[in-house]
């Protein structure tokens, strides 16, 4: 019953926008440190954005800062990643994940995400003309 399900990926032209959703079931997102990750072919998985539990400070990788926005809707128990001005280098499978510890979400951006409790299966974003 505990799971994360991503949706909203697809094909978009450079400069376009997409909104990814991650619906949680079996637990409350607000109680977890949550984040979005991505992995492109031949590359390591990287942290894209994260949000702390509770009131939730947000964090972003330098590569997406100013273009992406992370948010959480507590009523819907869903997290989102609004992606604007997409670039070909944003092409990747995007995953959402959650961690029950109260350590800051900045750790996920720095690569410290080995202890995530739950992972979604991913949604593919392709940015191409």
């Amino acid at each position: 019953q505990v799971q994360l399900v991503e949706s909203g990926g697809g094909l978009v032209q450079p400069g376009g926008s997409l909104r990814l959703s991650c619906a949680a079931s079996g637990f409350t997102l607000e109680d977890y440190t949550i984040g979005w990750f991505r992995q492109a072919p031949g590359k390591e998985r990287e942290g894209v954005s994260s949000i702390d539990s509770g009131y939730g400070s947000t964090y972003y990788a330098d590569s997406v800062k100013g273009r992406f926005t992370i948010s959480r809707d507590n009523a819907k128990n869903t997290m989102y990643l609004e992606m604007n001005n997409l670039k070909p280098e944003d092409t990747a499978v995007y995953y959402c994940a959650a961690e029950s510890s109260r350590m800051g979400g900045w750790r996920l951006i720095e690569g410290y995400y080995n202890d995530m409790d739950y992972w979604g299966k991913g949604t593919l974003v392709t940015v191409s003309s």
Side-chain angles (χ1 to χ4, degrees):
Q1 292 183 329
V2 175
Q3 64 179 26
L4 294 168
V5 180
E6 302 97 336
S7 62
L11 175 64
V12 63
Q13 294 185 342
S17 299
L18 283 175
R19 188 192 193 195
L20 304 184
S21 299
C22 176
S25 59
F27 71 103
T28 302
L29 278 181
E30 187 180 9
D31 297 334
Y32 286 69
T33 300
I34 55 178
W36 287 95
F37 303 81
R38 67 185 182 186
Q39 187 167 21
K43 296 184 178 180
E44 297 294 322
R45 184 172 298 184
E46 62 176 338
V48 175
S49 183
S50 61
I51 183 168
D52 289 341
S53 62
Y55 289 108
S57 297
T58 58
Y59 310 89
Y60 298 91
D62 289 342
S63 60
V64 307
K65 194 171 299 181
R67 298 189 297 121
F68 291 11
T69 302
I70 190 171
S71 63
R72 181 200 330 113
D73 187 326
N74 296 332
K76 296 181 179 180
N77 203 26
T78 299
M79 60 185 290
Y80 305 93
L81 185 67
E82 183 72 35
M83 305 184 294
N84 299 309
N85 191 25
L86 284 162
K87 305 177 183 298
E89 50 263 43
D90 294 318
T91 296
V93 176
Y94 284 72
Y95 302 86
C96 61
E99 182 183 23
S100 62
S101 76
R102 294 191 294 174
M103 300 298 291
W106 61 269
R107 298 187 306 116
L108 307 185
I109 307 304
E110 296 295 325
Y112 298 99
Y113 51 80
N114 291 331
D115 295 324
M116 305 304 292
D117 293 288
Y118 310 118
W119 285 92
K121 295 181 178 179
T123 185
L124 177 63
V125 173
T126 302
V127 184
S128 177
S129 60

